[in-house]
Amino acid sequence: MNDAVLASIGFLGVVVASLVDGRRAVPLAALSLSIALVPTVVPAQGSGAALLLLGVAVLTWLMGEVAYRVARSHFSWAAGLDPLVPVAFSRAELFGPRSIRVASTVVSIPVASWAHFHVALGGLATTTGFLFPLFYAWVCTGFRFLTARTLEDVAVATTMIAVASASGWMVHGGGHAFIGAGGVMMVSPLSATIVGWLAGRHQWRTREDG
Amino acid sequence: MTGVVVLAAGALVVGTGLSSGWKSGWLGTISSAVAAFTVMLSVQSSLAQAALWSLGLWLLIVRWMTLAPGGATLTAGRAVGLSTGAFLAVTPFLLDVGAAGSGARTDVIAGLLAVSFAVPLGLLPVGGWAIGVFSLLPRREVLVWIAVVVPAAVLSLSSTLTRIGDPERQVLTVVLLVSALTTAVWSGVGALRVQGADRYLRCFVADVALAVVGIVSATADGRKGALLIVIGHICLSPLLFTTVSERIGRYGWLLLSGLPFSPFWWARLLVVEACFAHNGFAVPLTLLALFVIGIASCHSAVQGWRVHSTTSQQPLHRFLAYGVVVVATVVGIVPLQTLHLLQG
């Protein structure tokens, strides 16, 4: 695949993962980032890598939904942290959380470009755009952590870093690359489960408030 | 390593017994986190280490955010997220760390590793979240950080420094040394301005920074000093956070002050020796940090410390508290034998 096309697919997927919000943000981020990074990992590890990335994204979706539905059916109301409500910030601001994240995705482009031209991974050449999606995902994840306002934001960023690092591991290759990458990617369903569970506990209150 | 784990588990049990007792949900979360950190220190793969480290820290952070939702715990979540993310991101690069690479590659690897370790160790600037968060949380949660998270991070830093290449090690050493010296002086001076548990937290952060100074000196003395600092705080933290009576609390502060034949006397002496041997320019700042920590501890020992309005007079609590004093005193009398026993 042409490097420019590969970088563009990666760019779009990472932007979606950086901007997504709401109860299904974690599985959506996992899915979009997995799709974005599939063209990067397949040349290094073959179709098995694509299967792993997409399989874990589907598992993330399933686990998040199951946790949400189980929590919603078992709790009529539960006090505690709502993962979708900002922990310490009000929403009445000139630039909301998504505007800041859009700005961060723009700022990340030159940072990721610099990194992928200067930092080699495995035996891959740094002169092409092959590694750009990977570095872009890492930098955007850093910004997503820095701009987090809810537990769900933090969980999305954790999912992004797990998928990106697992992809980096597979791109590098070497012994046990698949096992290691699969282990790290399990963070993604775990994050979805935690957010789904906490969001499900608060569902009754949200319905009543609405 | 097994000895340190056993000591940490004992400190958690004693500290929880002395503070507010067992709570539902606490045991499961903390046991899972401790298990993750213990396995992390046993495995060789950097990816497995990073994954287990992330898992353990995230279990704790989610717990802390649900216990005390607010700006401080959210900041902790962001900082820990950055730290674990940096650790996970750097793992593919550690696979071929010995290979020739550009200066930028070395800087990126060292920078990611520095962030990975500075956050859980509370080193400035990225670790500035620690004191604000722990002043909000119940004591038993803070004990987990002191007795489990920080020792695991110190041991992991020590082993990581031996596994990376020379260029990365040099950059990482400089970054961590500057960060640790700044933290030691800043937290030490800060300890003079507050009282009670807040003072102990600042003394602890300053001591951890000195342990990092010892570790990055890459000498045997520095490493021993760092481990003794960690072991000393594992022993003393249950006592200094949960004063059973003012008199026993004073013993704790005396042991922390670094007076001769306390565990911290030997620990800090070894760190200073390591500084003389490896980083001469760090000696003045290290001595300044030691001085202010000593002054703060002696002041608390002389003045007394009334943390709780009512102090427990239960015989079991007094027995446990005196047991902590005895263990810490023994560590001070036979420090090298203790290290040998715990570390092998």
Side-chain angles (χ1 to χ4, degrees):
Chain A
M1 190 182 283
N2 185 301
D3 285 342
V5 176
L6 190 147
S8 302
I9 294 172
F11 170 78
L12 289 174
V14 175
V15 167
V16 170
S18 296
L19 299 184
V20 70
D21 263 332
R23 183 173 69 78
R24 294 191 176 90
V26 175
L28 272 173
L31 192 61
S32 67
L33 201 56
S34 296
I35 291 170
L37 293 175
V38 159
T40 307
V41 295
V42 165
Q45 291 287 334
S47 55
L51 204 63
L52 178 65
L53 281 174
L54 297 174
V56 173
V58 171
L59 182 65
T60 303
W61 194 291
L62 285 175
M63 298 273 286
E65 279 301 311
V66 168
Y68 174 77
R69 287 176 195 282
V70 168
R72 192 178 62 171
S73 61
H74 281 72
F75 291 98
S76 57
W77 182 80
L81 182 68
D82 187 336
L84 306 179
V85 173
V87 173
F89 298 89
S90 65
R91 286 187 181 276
E93 291 173 349
L94 182 59
F95 295 104
R98 193 165 278 171
S99 313
I100 293 168
R101 275 187 257 143
V102 169
S104 72
T105 56
V106 174
V107 172
S108 300
I109 295 172
V111 178
S113 297
W114 176 87
H116 98 270
F117 273 120
H118 290 89
V119 184
L121 179 60
L124 297 170
T126 54
T127 50
T128 66
F130 188 74
L131 291 175
F132 175 79
L134 207 50
F135 284 100
Y136 190 55
W138 273 323
V139 178
C140 282
T141 304
F143 279 115
R144 179 100 207 214
F145 272 124
L146 287 175
T147 57
R149 296 179 179 218
T150 63
L151 185 60
E152 170 249 10
D153 280 336
V154 174
V156 169
T158 307
T159 299
M160 288 173 70
I161 198 69
V163 175
S165 297
S167 303
W169 195 263
M170 286 192 282
V171 166
H172 183 282
H176 309 299
F178 253 76
I179 298 169
V184 169
M185 283 199 73
M186 285 303 123
V187 171
S188 176
L190 189 64
S191 296
T193 307
I194 291 171
V195 171
W197 179 264
L198 292 174
R201 293 197 321 169
H202 288 267
Q203 182 59 24
W204 180 84
R205 190 179 65 177
T206 308
R207 279 205 305 265
E208 289 293 306
D209 292 346
Chain B
M1 206 270 294
T2 311
V4 178
V5 173
V6 171
L7 190 67
L12 283 179
V13 170
V14 172
T16 309
L18 286 177
S19 58
S20 48
W22 302 96
K23 301 284 181 191
S24 64
W26 188 85
L27 192 61
T29 312
I30 303 308
S31 305
S32 307
V34 171
F37 293 139
T38 308
V39 178
M40 178 202 80
L41 293 172
S42 315
V43 297
Q44 293 296 318
S45 159
S46 56
L47 185 67
Q49 281 190 347
L52 289 163
W53 180 240
S54 306
L55 179 67
L57 279 183
W58 274 109
L59 282 172
L60 297 176
I61 283 294
V62 170
R63 178 175 171 78
W64 294 341
M65 285 179 82
T66 48
L67 273 176
T73 47
L74 180 67
T75 307
R78 289 168 168 175
V80 167
L82 272 181
S83 158
T84 54
F87 204 178
L88 280 169
V90 82
T91 51
F93 301 101
L94 292 180
L95 286 174
D96 46 13
V97 77
S102 65
R105 187 174 189 278
T106 301
D107 293 344
V108 167
I109 292 173
L112 289 172
L113 283 174
V115 171
S116 308
F117 288 108
V119 169
L121 291 171
L123 301 183
L124 293 174
V126 287
W129 58 276
I131 290 171
V133 171
F134 292 126
S135 58
L136 295 174
L137 293 171
R139 299 271 160 83
R140 60 179 184 279
E141 306 292 334
V142 191
L143 282 176
V144 178
W145 183 55
I146 294 172
V148 179
V149 177
V150 166
V154 167
L155 291 171
S156 180
L157 172 63
S158 179
S159 71
T160 301
L161 280 171
T162 61
R163 285 189 291 132
I164 59 177
D166 279 339
E168 289 85 6
R169 189 184 306 119
Q170 284 170 6
V171 178
L172 180 61
T173 297
V174 171
V175 173
L176 285 180
L177 188 61
V178 171
S179 176
L181 287 172
T182 312
T183 308
V185 174
W186 179 263
S187 300
V189 172
L192 292 171
R193 300 172 55 208
V194 293
Q195 292 283 336
D198 285 341
R199 174 172 285 182
Y200 174 64
L201 268 179
R202 282 168 171 78
C203 286
F204 173 70
V205 170
D207 260 341
V208 169
L210 291 176
V212 172
V213 171
I215 291 279
V216 299
S217 70
T219 60
D221 281 349
R223 192 169 184 278
K224 285 177 189 168
L227 286 174
L228 269 177
I229 286 176
V230 166
I231 289 166
H233 277 288
I234 292 175
C235 293
L236 278 184
S237 55
L239 183 65
L240 289 174
F241 261 133
T242 54
T243 306
V244 175
S245 74
E246 188 179 320
R247 191 167 142 200
I248 304 176
R250 288 184 181 201
Y251 285 137
W253 280 108
L254 267 181
L255 288 168
L256 181 68
S257 65
L259 292 175
F261 309 115
S262 71
F264 293 96
W265 158 260
W266 297 112
R268 292 167 188 164
L269 182 69
L270 288 167
V271 169
V272 171
E273 279 184 9
C275 278
F276 269 113
H278 193 260
N279 302 307
F281 73 94
V283 172
L285 285 176
T286 306
L287 290 176
L288 175 62
L290 293 184
F291 178 72
V292 288
I293 295 170
I295 292 290
S297 307
C298 289
H299 180 256
S300 285
V302 171
Q303 193 187 38
W305 179 27
R306 296 177 184 85
V307 178
H308 302 297
S309 54
T310 55
T311 54
S312 171
Q313 296 298 324
Q314 289 183 29
L316 176 64
H317 285 187
R318 296 180 69 80
F319 173 76
L320 287 174
Y322 275 114
V324 170
V325 171
V326 169
V327 170
T329 308
V330 168
V331 172
I333 293 171
V334 284
L336 295 180
Q337 288 81 353
T338 307
L339 275 183
H340 182 71
L341 181 71
L342 296 178
Q343 277 284 301

